[in-house]
Amino acid sequence: MNHSLNKINLSRLKSTFEVSSNIGKTKGGGLTRLPLSKEDKEMRDVFISWLKDAGLHVRIDDMGNIYGRRDGTNKNAGAVMIGSHLDTQPKGGRFDGILGVLSALEVIRTLNDNNIETERPIEIVNFTAEEGGRFGVPMVGSGVITDNLTKEFVFSLRDKNGITFGESLEEIGYIGEAKNRFINFNVDYYVEAHIEQSTVLEKNQNSIGIVKGIAGETRFEACVKGQSTHAAHSPSERRDALVAASEMVLAVDSLKEQFEGLSPAIGTFEVYPSLQTITASEVKFVYIIRHFNDDISNKAIELVKKQFREIAGRRNVEVNIEQYWKAESTEFVDEVTTLIEEGAKVHGYSYQNILSTAGHDATYVNGIVKSGMIFAPSVGGLSHCEEEFTSYEEIEKTANVLLYVVESLAKKEPGNTVLAAPDGSEVEFKPEEERN
Amino acid sequence: MNHSLNKINLSRLKSTFEVSSNIGKTKGGGLTRLPLSKEDKEMRDVFISWLKDAGLHVRIDDMGNIYGRRDGTNKNAGAVMIGSHLDTQPKGGRFDGILGVLSALEVIRTLNDNNIETERPIEIVNFTAEEGGRFGVPMVGSGVITDNLTKEFVFSLRDKNGITFGESLEEIGYIGEAKNRFINFNVDYYVEAHIEQSTVLEKNQNSIGIVKGIAGETRFEACVKGQSTHAAHSPSERRDALVAASEMVLAVDSLKEQFEGLSPAIGTFEVYPSLQTITASEVKFVYIIRHFNDDISNKAIELVKKQFREIAGRRNVEVNIEQYWKAESTEFVDEVTTLIEEGAKVHGYSYQNILSTAGHDATYVNGIVKSGMIFAPSVGGLSHCEEEFTSYEEIEKTANVLLYVVESLAKKEPGNTVLAAPDGSEVEFKPEEERN
């Protein structure tokens, strides 16, 4: 099959971004649109109106995930799902997963503009609470429906005010039906656009990141218990939880030097009682270990546990370590990554293969349907902060590649597929069996 | 002059402690009686009723310091002031400075019981906000009236809810008149009983600590600024304020190994934004350097500043260091310490010389009038915590020694002073000029 090289409408996509960038806007120019907050509800309501305007069939599942389906010509064909998440971290950025949802919407609008019918249905998705900044656990909307997390567990997660996920989802009126989950709707592919959360693309001056896989990630909460006493207490006799925890932080950080490719990080860090003349009785902190090789992650995890125990023993404090979340590393199929590369090529965009250290909804969805991700460069690699920035020039490229991939997947049939290159010449692609 | 060996009434002192231990009582058996809180007001009201019942002339100065004066027989003689503070840290203990105030009250009640007249007036004092746990700066009641802190500075200090010291003092109705400050009332001596905030007495199994001096203390707030980004951002490129601050904490802590007798400590420690998948953009922490030798303190302070800058440079963060409070080391006069020793001896209590690493109101008062401190042992050296504990057996000893010192100072005239030892024999003491 042939298709002309379609392009998205950047000025329309800009307008869409501008609406989103004002829902939960922070003084610092970022977004605080926490999952299931009133800002999230406002964004969801607007999003659904957009889906309806685009003629999509809207569904909401029991996790609050929102879908909009564009019919395909072949009722038996599995759908191509595209999207990401519209929620943000506290004082997060305007792009992150929002790029994936809004560029997916633009892809559908472009197909509508051009009266393009596809054989496969196309399904846009906004996953609930990809960000863990409010309820402590990330990717819960995709995690539950792919059987990686239980609904009971997620519904009982509490934010810092004690409000549960379940209460919040009900409060904003977004509890739909389990039968609406995408797994009940014959979905064959999932493609997620997202900003890169590091500087690989920027450094190499490439516009399109073809994500080959996502690192495995394990999260722990460490609780260090010492004994509060007056800060003038003899230093050698103190059981200062903060000094011990500081040494543990450095132990986690130094894993990056001991295991190549390992990305260790400290998340929350809370000190009690945190008073001027009182030593710390307790420090609770989250640490995260990421690597593409789960065996290496496990080695690092064991090493740092051993180091924590050594530090605790030497500093006369107790440490308790709890693993509270884990996602194994995942690799995306060539069938999708190849199409991303083709999309970049036919548009003449610079591109490269890339790995994602950060987790995404695609981590979980890839366990169920063939998935892929397209990364856009983020200035300075910054994300989850107000400074997060990706230019419209880059956003346009990402959305055009997404459009290309969607058209290719949605129209695709077994056998040879011929696409028009930018110069009008035909490019021959082999059937997927031969490519893999 | 002779006097029989008087003793305080422990069962009455116990009852007094029991009242105090219930005003601001915590679940964990400690006290949260923050300066100028409603609990502090309640304690002050009860305290004043006790002063009046004891026949004292009550005054309140413009810092809310409360005094109760017992007249002496010689109107021209300078007073002996005794006391400490009744406020506590959040989840602090029942003893701390409370011991100094309640044992002072018991001393006066005992003099009353025995119809003992003294030549010098005796003045009990409860200093306002010795603890810095609410307004961030300690010893402000004694600090202002001894010209170590300005009233404007202290009145504008804010608690974490933004309420100023001045507003709080007015709110509880304890703004008195500046003319009531003790410096306008001819005070010659100040003696403060307090629990020891370390384990020296406990380890040596001694009951009475004769405090020879108080360490100099300098407090700093360090602000480390990095850049928040996704925790999966390439580790080598991050500007993680928490990792840098952790290294700084260890630098402060290790000063204890580099400078003998130095007591370094970390106070408050706050991390922003403290979220799971976001690196820290900012950490603010307080660190405190204490030593009896101010030159050594200064060397340690300079060293750690240099280390902070090196760490900040290497980890690509900024650090700003602000010294916000300082009290120089102080030595108590032999005239008072000798009487404390005599008091312990005549009662047959075990005693030793001791230095206070922690600051007290006596740090400031000693700059104005001749001062001294008596330490009682605290179990495990714990203080500023709910576990803080000193037995009534030890409290009785402390109060008896305080009584002895007060009687000695208040009756004292130039010339030989003869006191009765426990066995009834007379002990001869030289005039102070010869002793010094």
Side-chain angles (χ1 to χ4, degrees):
Chain A
M1 124 186 69
N2 287 342
H3 65 74
S4 61
L5 190 59
N6 293 311
K7 291 190 175 181
I8 60 96
N9 179 337
L10 181 62
S11 72
R12 178 173 55 200
L13 181 51
K14 273 186 193 176
S15 311
T16 314
F17 259 102
E18 275 156 25
V19 172
S20 165
S21 298
N22 276 294
I23 301 176
K25 188 175 184 173
T26 62
K27 281 182 193 166
L31 284 176
T32 294
R33 196 155 70 207
L34 303 185
L36 314 188
S37 63
K38 68 178 174 42
E39 293 80 11
D40 188 18
K41 174 184 162 40
E42 188 183 341
M43 184 70 244
R44 285 164 174 262
D45 293 349
V46 171
F47 179 60
I48 285 177
S49 73
W50 286 336
L51 299 186
K52 288 181 175 164
D53 289 346
L56 306 184
H57 310 296
V58 176
R59 311 190 312 274
I60 298 164
D61 72 18
D62 55 324
M63 289 302 296
N65 299 314
I66 301 170
Y67 310 92
R69 178 168 277 231
R70 187 174 190 269
D71 290 331
T73 55
N74 179 349
K75 296 209 164 187
N76 297 321
V80 177
M81 187 165 72
I82 51 178
S84 185
H85 63 96
L86 290 167
D87 64 325
T88 77
Q89 291 283 348
K91 292 194 182 175
R94 295 164 290 157
F95 304 94
D96 201 272
I98 296 165
L99 173 65
V101 180
L102 300 190
S103 59
L105 178 66
E106 181 53 38
V107 161
I108 287 171
R109 285 169 167 173
T110 302
L111 295 176
N112 289 350
D113 288 349
N114 295 295
N115 298 310
I116 296 170
E117 291 193 323
T118 58
E119 189 185 336
R120 295 179 183 276
I122 300 170
E123 178 139 323
I124 186 168
V125 63
N126 169 44
F127 283 116
T128 293
E130 195 269 350
E131 301 292 4
R134 180 173 177 195
F135 294 106
V137 177
M139 297 153 47
V140 297
S142 55
V144 168
I145 61 175
T146 56
D147 276 340
N148 284 284
L149 299 168
T150 70
K151 188 169 159 182
E152 293 64 35
F153 168 72
V154 171
F155 268 56
S156 63
L157 291 172
R158 288 179 192 276
D159 68 9
K160 64 181 177 187
N161 298 316
I163 303 167
T164 65
F165 178 96
E167 288 160 0
S168 307
L169 187 57
E170 190 170 2
E171 171 75 23
I172 65 163
Y174 270 88
I175 300 190
E177 295 179 81
K179 68 175 188 191
N180 286 334
R181 297 179 177 192
F182 80 80
I183 50 164
N184 302 320
F185 274 75
N186 193 20
V187 170
D188 277 355
Y189 297 96
Y190 174 57
V191 186
E192 180 172 359
H194 203 284
I195 60 163
E196 188 203 343
Q197 299 180 301
S198 200
T199 55
V200 177
L201 291 173
E202 185 181 69
K203 276 190 181 162
N204 294 303
Q205 294 184 287
N206 284 325
S207 292
I208 300 295
I210 304 160
V211 185
K212 303 291 277 186
I214 298 181
E217 178 178 346
T218 317
R219 299 190 185 184
F220 299 88
E221 185 174 78
C223 180
V224 183
K225 285 198 181 178
Q227 169 66 54
S228 275
T229 190
H230 194 289
H233 195 121
S234 170
S236 62
E237 290 171 6
R238 294 183 209 152
R239 301 177 56 218
D240 189 323
L242 175 58
V243 177
S246 296
E247 206 176 333
M248 293 174 191
V249 165
L250 294 179
V252 171
D253 186 64
S254 74
L255 289 174
K256 70 190 180 201
E257 280 122 36
Q258 296 167 73
F259 298 92
E260 202 184 330
L262 193 109
S263 180
I266 310 296
T268 57
F269 191 92
E270 286 164 5
V271 181
Y272 308 92
S274 191
L275 290 164
Q276 278 186 61
T277 52
I278 305 181
T279 58
S281 59
E282 189 173 314
V283 177
K284 280 187 183 174
F285 66 95
V286 161
Y287 65 101
I288 306 179
I289 307 294
R290 293 178 166 97
H291 201 283
F292 297 95
N293 181 325
D294 294 333
D295 290 340
I296 295 178
S297 289
N298 291 336
K299 276 183 194 159
I301 287 165
E302 286 312 308
L303 174 66
V304 89
K305 269 187 193 166
K306 203 174 137 189
Q307 290 174 325
F308 277 21
R309 293 202 187 99
E310 187 278 320
I311 294 163
R314 178 162 40 78
R315 295 203 178 264
N316 199 16
V317 298
E318 288 155 33
V319 62
N320 182 55
I321 301 164
E322 190 196 346
Q323 176 187 314
Y324 69 94
W325 188 77
K326 182 182 177 109
E328 293 196 345
S329 62
T330 192
E331 267 184 76
F332 295 128
V333 289
D334 288 349
E335 186 183 350
V336 176
T337 56
T338 307
L339 283 177
I340 298 169
E341 184 174 339
E342 285 169 15
K345 271 186 189 162
V346 296
H347 279 287
Y349 301 152
S350 57
Y351 64 89
Q352 69 170 99
N353 290 333
I354 196 166
L355 291 163
S356 176
T357 311
H360 299 284
D361 290 310
T363 308
Y364 284 146
V365 178
N366 194 40
I368 307 279
V369 300
K370 288 177 274 191
S371 304
M373 289 191 79
I374 306 168
F375 271 0
S378 181
V379 173
L382 299 179
S383 73
H384 282 189
C385 57
E386 294 172 314
E387 295 85 355
E388 181 181 292
F389 183 73
T390 295
S391 70
Y392 281 121
E393 193 189 341
E394 297 295 351
I395 288 172
E396 183 180 24
K397 292 176 184 173
T398 307
N400 277 332
V401 172
L402 181 65
L403 173 63
Y404 180 90
V405 173
V406 167
E407 283 189 89
S408 304
L409 287 171
K411 285 185 169 179
K412 199 169 178 186
E413 289 182 293
N416 287 355
T417 306
V418 180
L419 298 161
D423 60 2
S425 68
E426 288 193 341
V427 183
E428 187 176 324
F429 293 113
K430 294 175 188 166
E432 62 182 278
E433 299 81 55
E434 291 175 40
R435 285 211 306 266
N436 285 349
Chain B
M1 122 185 69
N2 286 344
H3 67 72
S4 62
L5 189 61
N6 293 310
K7 291 191 177 181
I8 60 96
N9 179 337
L10 181 61
S11 73
R12 178 172 54 198
L13 181 51
K14 272 187 195 178
S15 311
T16 314
F17 259 101
E18 276 157 25
V19 172
S20 165
S21 299
N22 275 295
I23 301 176
K25 187 175 185 172
T26 61
K27 282 181 191 165
L31 283 177
T32 293
R33 196 155 71 205
L34 303 185
L36 315 187
S37 63
K38 66 178 176 42
E39 292 80 12
D40 187 18
K41 176 184 162 39
E42 187 183 342
M43 184 70 245
R44 285 163 174 264
D45 292 349
V46 170
F47 179 60
I48 286 177
S49 74
W50 286 337
L51 299 185
K52 288 182 175 164
D53 289 348
L56 306 184
H57 310 295
V58 176
R59 310 190 312 273
I60 298 163
D61 71 19
D62 55 325
M63 289 302 297
N65 299 313
I66 301 171
Y67 310 93
R69 178 168 279 231
R70 187 174 189 270
D71 290 331
T73 54
N74 179 349
K75 295 208 165 187
N76 298 319
V80 177
M81 186 165 72
I82 49 177
S84 184
H85 63 96
L86 290 167
D87 64 326
T88 77
Q89 291 283 349
K91 292 193 182 177
R94 294 164 290 156
F95 304 93
D96 200 272
I98 297 164
L99 173 67
V101 180
L102 301 190
S103 60
L105 178 66
E106 180 54 36
V107 162
I108 287 171
R109 287 170 166 172
T110 303
L111 295 176
N112 289 350
D113 287 350
N114 295 295
N115 298 311
I116 296 169
E117 291 193 323
T118 58
E119 188 184 339
R120 296 179 183 276
I122 299 170
E123 178 139 322
I124 186 169
V125 63
N126 168 44
F127 283 115
T128 293
E130 195 267 351
E131 301 292 6
R134 179 174 177 193
F135 294 106
V137 176
M139 295 152 49
V140 297
S142 55
V144 168
I145 61 175
T146 56
D147 276 341
N148 283 284
L149 299 169
T150 70
K151 189 170 158 182
E152 293 65 34
F153 168 72
V154 171
F155 268 57
S156 64
L157 291 172
R158 289 180 192 276
D159 69 8
K160 64 181 176 187
N161 298 316
I163 303 167
T164 66
F165 178 96
E167 288 159 359
S168 307
L169 186 58
E170 191 170 1
E171 171 75 24
I172 65 163
Y174 270 88
I175 301 189
E177 294 179 81
K179 69 174 187 191
N180 286 334
R181 296 178 178 193
F182 80 80
I183 52 164
N184 301 321
F185 275 75
N186 192 21
V187 170
D188 277 354
Y189 297 96
Y190 174 56
V191 187
E192 181 173 358
H194 203 284
I195 60 162
E196 187 204 344
Q197 299 179 302
S198 200
T199 54
V200 177
L201 291 174
E202 185 181 69
K203 276 190 182 163
N204 294 303
Q205 294 184 287
N206 284 325
S207 292
I208 300 294
I210 304 161
V211 185
K212 303 292 278 186
I214 298 181
E217 177 178 346
T218 316
R219 299 190 185 184
F220 299 88
E221 185 174 78
C223 179
V224 184
K225 284 197 182 179
Q227 169 67 54
S228 275
T229 190
H230 193 289
H233 195 120
S234 169
S236 62
E237 291 171 6
R238 293 183 209 153
R239 302 177 55 220
D240 189 323
L242 175 59
V243 176
S246 296
E247 206 176 333
M248 294 173 190
V249 165
L250 295 179
V252 171
D253 185 63
S254 73
L255 290 174
K256 70 189 182 203
E257 279 122 37
Q258 296 167 74
F259 297 92
E260 201 184 331
L262 193 108
S263 180
I266 310 295
T268 57
F269 191 91
E270 286 164 4
V271 181
Y272 308 92
S274 192
L275 291 164
Q276 278 185 61
T277 51
I278 304 181
T279 58
S281 59
E282 190 173 313
V283 177
K284 280 187 182 174
F285 66 96
V286 162
Y287 64 100
I288 306 179
I289 307 294
R290 292 179 167 97
H291 200 281
F292 298 95
N293 182 327
D294 295 332
D295 291 338
I296 294 178
S297 290
N298 290 336
K299 276 183 196 161
I301 287 165
E302 286 312 308
L303 174 66
V304 89
K305 269 186 193 165
K306 203 174 135 189
Q307 290 174 326
F308 278 20
R309 292 200 187 98
E310 187 277 321
I311 294 164
R314 179 161 39 77
R315 295 203 178 263
N316 199 17
V317 298
E318 289 155 33
V319 62
N320 182 55
I321 301 164
E322 191 196 346
Q323 177 186 313
Y324 69 94
W325 189 76
K326 182 183 177 108
E328 294 196 345
S329 62
T330 193
E331 268 183 76
F332 295 128
V333 290
D334 288 348
E335 187 183 350
V336 177
T337 56
T338 307
L339 284 177
I340 298 170
E341 184 174 338
E342 285 170 15
K345 272 186 190 163
V346 296
H347 279 286
Y349 301 151
S350 57
Y351 64 90
Q352 69 170 98
N353 291 333
I354 195 167
L355 291 163
S356 176
T357 312
H360 299 284
D361 289 311
T363 307
Y364 284 146
V365 179
N366 194 40
I368 307 279
V369 301
K370 289 177 275 190
S371 304
M373 290 191 78
I374 306 167
F375 272 180
S378 180
V379 173
L382 299 179
S383 73
H384 283 190
C385 57
E386 294 172 314
E387 295 84 356
E388 182 181 291
F389 183 74
T390 295
S391 69
Y392 280 120
E393 192 188 342
E394 298 295 349
I395 288 172
E396 181 179 26
K397 293 176 183 174
T398 307
N400 276 333
V401 172
L402 181 64
L403 173 62
Y404 180 90
V405 173
V406 168
E407 283 189 90
S408 304
L409 287 171
K411 283 185 168 180
K412 200 169 177 187
E413 288 181 293
N416 288 356
T417 304
V418 180
L419 297 161
D423 60 1
S425 67
E426 288 192 344
V427 183
E428 188 178 322
F429 291 114
K430 295 175 186 167
E432 62 181 277
E433 299 81 54
E434 291 175 40
R435 284 211 307 265
N436 284 350

